[in-house]
Amino acid sequence: MANNLEIKDLEKIARKVRYNIVKMVGLAKSGHPGGSLSATDIIVALYFKLMNYDPKNPYKKDRDRFVLSKGHAAPALYAVLAELGLIEEEELWKLRRLEGKLQGHPSMDTPGVEICTGSLGQGFSASVGMALGCRLDKLNNYVYVLLGDGECQEGIVWEAAMAAAHYKLDNLIAFIDRNKLQIDGCTEDVMSLGDLKAKFEAFGWDVFEIDGHNFEEIINTVEKAKSLKNGKPKMIIAHTIKGKGVSFMENNVSFHGKAPNEEQLKQALEELKYE
Amino acid sequence: MVKLTGIYKGMRKGYGETLVELGKKYDNVVVLDADLSGSTQTAMFAKEFPDRFFNAGVAEQNMIGMAAGLATTGKIVFASSFAMFASGRAWEIIRNLVAYPKLNVKIVATHAGITVGEDGASHQTCEDIAIMRAIPNMVVIAPTDYYHTKNVIRAVSEYKGPVYVRMPRRDTEIIYESEEEASFEIGKGKVLVDGDDLTIIATGEEVPEALKAGEILKENGISAEIVEMATIKPIDEDIIKKSKDFVVTVEDHNIIGGLGGAVAEVIASNGLNKKLLRIGINDVFGRSGKADELLKHYGLDGESIAKRIMEEMKK
């Protein structure tokens, strides 16, 4: 959207988004902070720099679309949508509560959410359909989708990967938030993902590997992916740190699906303080 | 007026032909299949509108996922496969990606029920009505014959939201004289034959069998009212309330959770003083055989239905 933003501005937004993620999960006493924090920079770069998206007109037909296939990272998406003015900030503090509107995983009732996700692999599959639909309508836009690495253990991910290549969807740009951890432990201990790059290449995708916390790399890689109009869908494997930004959450698997306690919340918010 | 015409024609054919008609009428109709387009007859649409047809390959889960994505871009989406895979394999994707967000996806499943025949139990879906009916926002329909199917498909294309339509593999007997006669409205049952002694409520391919049973009963001095219940969800409660005191449901589906289950719920929830006999598959897996042999084996042909009713009435 606001394409004149500089990297330091994006970093500032990401810091606030992280602060709000931790605060909303802490207040909810429930949720998934680890994977929300690892995905933050990618989602911020997309909405604030890369996507053709007008928050004042969020259902414009030719908008770029973002699908959070790893739906448990909903707090990151909600914090970004709040920053864009699509969700009232007050709602963030009622996350996962009966009196609030924001569901534990994204639902289409929330403004700005393109499809409900949370059951892993399904958002990726839907994004293939979205890209097909946009192409049918001859829209000159992109569908972005973010998967978790553990999510790639779902069979539907590979069904969708096959279909995206078969239908030559170069208007589909996917990310894998490669933080190397899933609920039960390291991805390679739970169920080896092996060489994800080689796997997606073998499925007919152009694959890039980047540091998922480096805005310059995220932006340059997406621009490069967009310039390659070669009929191949694009996969960006983003190496990230689970729990990024909170010292005691970083690379700590126990914060996959657990909220910080009161003391931890205080410390985390202190670490993420922004002016 | 309905009657047993002795003419057999596939509901699948009616589906395929109507898809082509809808494709001509609406630019935003798209169709998906999972490598069974020849069998489901979506191939007719694929031939006519290749740019609006998407084969998902042998991947029913992704077919439904793609269907959901296409629906978010304003398409009227039809997705087809055999009932076993369209409903069973893809169930959770249907629940979470189609029904929960109430997307405009029509899942039209063919080869439902025991009459799939020779392929045997792995392909004989007798649970699809039950599992689809349990999903909020989902409409569940089983058309009656070739002509009726055409009107069902037209009606669901006008309805905004998720629908599950099931139909059999075999050619079934036509009971309507024309398309105009085969009227259909979502959520409305229809009295096909008036009668005094009992009400037979049938769905899908069992409607002609119910008519046959009605004729046999008549020869034995029993007057049966026969109701076509094409929409199993939302079910027509009024027509059940007005039924005779002895109600018989007939379906090519497990008696648990299907039409029989749905009618039982209405009778019990409204405290209706009616006796209910559920005729269907008695919570067992099927086996290989010819469709008409299997109907007889499982007691779902007109003759067996009539016999069972007469036995029950003697009790």
Side-chain angles (χ1 to χ4, degrees):
Chain A
M1 43 166 280
N3 286 312
N4 54 350
L5 286 182
E6 290 176 24
I7 284 174
K8 65 171 175 17
D9 302 316
L10 297 174
E11 283 168 350
K12 228 166 119 177
I13 294 167
R15 189 174 175 85
K16 184 178 174 191
V17 165
R18 284 197 167 89
Y19 182 94
N20 285 344
I21 288 169
V22 171
K23 185 174 167 188
M24 76 177 99
V25 173
L27 290 176
K29 296 187 168 63
S30 156
H32 299 79
S36 301
L37 293 167
S38 63
T40 296
D41 298 319
I42 297 163
I43 303 174
V44 167
L46 286 173
Y47 276 99
F48 288 91
K49 186 73 183 173
L50 293 161
M51 279 166 54
N52 174 19
Y53 188 81
D54 176 5
K56 296 209 162 46
N57 195 2
Y59 296 107
K60 201 164 164 272
K61 200 173 162 74
D62 68 347
R63 71 190 181 279
D64 285 342
R65 288 159 170 80
F66 173 69
V67 175
L68 183 66
S69 196
K70 50 172 290 185
H72 55 284
L77 179 61
Y78 295 156
V80 165
L81 293 176
E83 198 58 23
L84 291 169
L86 281 157
I87 297 174
E88 286 172 34
E89 198 172 90
E90 278 310 299
E91 275 301 322
L92 299 181
W93 320 136
K94 290 184 273 182
L95 170 71
R96 288 179 168 246
R97 287 177 194 275
L98 192 55
E99 65 268 29
K101 290 179 186 159
L102 299 179
Q103 299 302 297
H105 293 84
S107 119
M108 272 178 90
D109 297 333
T110 300
V113 171
E114 302 282 1
I115 185 108
C116 41
T117 53
S119 182
L120 294 175
Q122 296 182 12
F124 188 43
S125 176
S127 72
V128 173
M130 274 182 205
L132 279 173
C134 290
R135 188 171 70 185
L136 265 185
D137 292 337
K138 300 188 167 55
L139 303 179
N140 188 25
N141 66 345
Y142 288 89
V143 176
Y144 295 92
V145 55
L146 175 61
L147 294 98
D149 47 6
E151 181 172 9
C152 293
Q153 291 157 1
E154 286 282 4
I156 194 174
V157 167
W158 302 99
E159 294 183 3
M162 216 184 296
H166 178 82
Y167 286 107
K168 303 187 178 358
L169 296 175
D170 56 14
N171 58 341
L172 179 66
I173 300 179
F175 287 86
I176 293 173
D177 180 5
R178 186 78 175 102
N179 60 33
K180 299 170 194 69
L181 294 173
Q182 57 189 111
I183 307 184
D184 265 359
C186 297
T187 55
E188 299 318 285
D189 294 337
V190 177
M191 179 50 66
S192 316
L193 294 167
D195 190 344
L196 277 176
K197 183 169 190 280
K199 283 179 179 168
F200 274 96
E201 278 171 350
F203 272 68
W205 289 57
D206 279 333
V207 185
F208 309 85
E209 279 197 88
I210 63 164
D211 171 356
H213 299 306
N214 182 321
F215 280 108
E216 209 174 324
E217 274 193 50
I218 298 170
I219 292 161
N220 291 343
T221 309
V222 168
E223 294 299 352
K224 185 166 178 210
K226 284 165 76 170
S227 71
L228 287 172
K229 285 275 175 198
N230 57 0
K232 291 168 104 178
K234 315 298 173 198
M235 173 58 74
I236 302 172
I237 299 172
H239 293 276
T240 59
I241 294 167
K242 195 140 184 166
K244 171 78 176 172
V246 178
S247 60
F248 58 91
M249 288 187 184
E250 287 195 358
N251 291 316
N252 182 348
V253 75
S254 73
F255 282 102
H256 173 94
K258 191 184 75 176
N261 63 30
E262 246 172 78
E263 199 180 317
Q264 289 166 332
L265 176 61
K266 224 173 120 189
Q267 189 192 329
L269 293 181
E270 186 61 32
E271 288 183 22
L272 291 167
K273 213 165 44 179
Y274 64 94
E275 78 279 6
Chain B
M1 259 303 278
V2 294
K3 63 168 189 189
L4 293 161
T5 60
I7 302 164
Y8 287 74
K9 207 164 176 181
M11 294 188 211
R12 294 185 277 150
K13 192 164 192 289
Y15 170 49
E17 288 169 358
T18 311
L19 278 182
V20 173
E21 170 194 311
L22 292 172
K24 286 176 184 157
K25 194 169 167 194
Y26 301 112
D27 287 342
N28 62 336
V29 167
V30 301
V31 177
L32 295 95
D33 205 297
D35 193 37
L36 291 168
S37 63
S39 299
T40 63
Q41 310 275 320
T42 60
M44 291 188 215
F45 182 94
K47 195 171 165 229
E48 204 80 24
F49 308 101
D51 57 328
R52 285 192 269 151
F53 174 80
F54 303 103
N55 204 325
V58 192
E60 297 78 14
Q61 301 178 48
N62 187 51
M63 172 178 75
I64 299 298
M66 289 200 294
L70 279 157
T72 67
T73 67
K75 309 288 178 286
I76 302 170
V77 187
F78 285 85
S80 286
S81 180
F82 289 179
M84 188 79 253
F85 318 118
S87 71
R89 187 63 161 263
W91 187 85
E92 196 232 316
I93 295 101
I94 295 170
R95 179 197 183 273
N96 278 322
L97 272 186
V98 174
Y100 177 33
K102 216 176 176 205
L103 291 175
N104 206 9
V105 176
K106 323 299 169 189
I107 299 148
V108 181
T110 65
H111 297 60
I114 204 88
T115 55
V116 164
E118 292 84 345
D119 281 340
S122 62
H123 285 55
Q124 292 162 334
T125 326
C126 299
E127 305 85 8
D128 55 330
I129 295 174
I131 61 177
M132 285 297 127
R133 201 164 73 83
I135 304 176
N137 292 341
M138 186 59 79
V139 170
V140 180
I141 301 168
T144 296
D145 71 5
Y146 164 79
Y147 289 129
H148 195 244
T149 299
K150 294 192 154 209
N151 287 327
V152 165
I153 298 302
R154 287 175 190 132
V156 303
S157 75
E158 302 294 336
Y159 171 84
K160 223 169 150 39
V163 180
Y164 178 77
V165 182
R166 65 136 35 191
M167 56 187 73
R169 171 192 189 184
R170 66 182 180 129
D171 290 350
T172 56
E173 190 162 358
I174 288 180
I175 66 158
Y176 290 106
E177 284 179 341
S178 66
E179 267 176 56
E180 292 70 35
E181 293 277 318
S183 64
F184 171 75
E185 193 182 332
I186 293 174
K188 288 271 183 283
K190 208 157 61 181
V191 176
L192 300 181
V193 177
D194 289 319
D196 302 318
D197 300 327
L198 77 153
T199 301
I200 302 175
I201 303 177
T203 196
E205 61 179 312
E206 283 300 305
V207 174
E209 301 301 332
L211 290 175
K212 280 177 212 164
E215 286 184 357
I216 298 167
L217 291 171
K218 201 170 170 187
E219 287 161 16
N220 287 274
I222 299 165
S223 162
E225 175 187 51
I226 298 173
V227 171
E228 170 194 82
M229 194 69 93
T231 313
I232 299 121
K233 185 188 174 185
I235 201 153
D236 187 340
E237 295 213 7
D238 289 337
I239 212 163
I240 298 170
K241 285 176 188 164
K242 285 180 197 147
S243 63
K244 310 300 161 199
D245 289 344
F246 178 33
V247 177
V248 180
T249 56
V250 188
E251 61 194 311
D252 183 0
H253 184 278
N254 197 334
I255 56 166
I256 297 174
L259 172 71
V263 170
E265 287 161 17
V266 174
I267 291 175
S269 302
N270 290 284
L272 305 177
N273 189 20
K274 294 181 194 296
K275 179 178 164 175
L276 174 66
L277 170 66
R278 291 171 298 156
I279 296 179
I281 303 298
N282 290 308
D283 201 25
V284 292
F285 287 104
R287 53 175 300 161
S288 289
K290 288 197 174 71
D292 53 348
E293 291 171 351
L294 289 167
L295 279 180
K296 227 177 196 46
H297 182 79
Y298 291 100
L300 289 173
D301 62 310
E303 211 172 300
S304 305
I305 294 164
K307 210 172 137 206
R308 180 93 190 273
I309 289 170
M310 287 188 282
E311 279 167 12
E312 195 67 28
M313 289 179 85
K314 274 183 208 146
K315 278 185 190 168

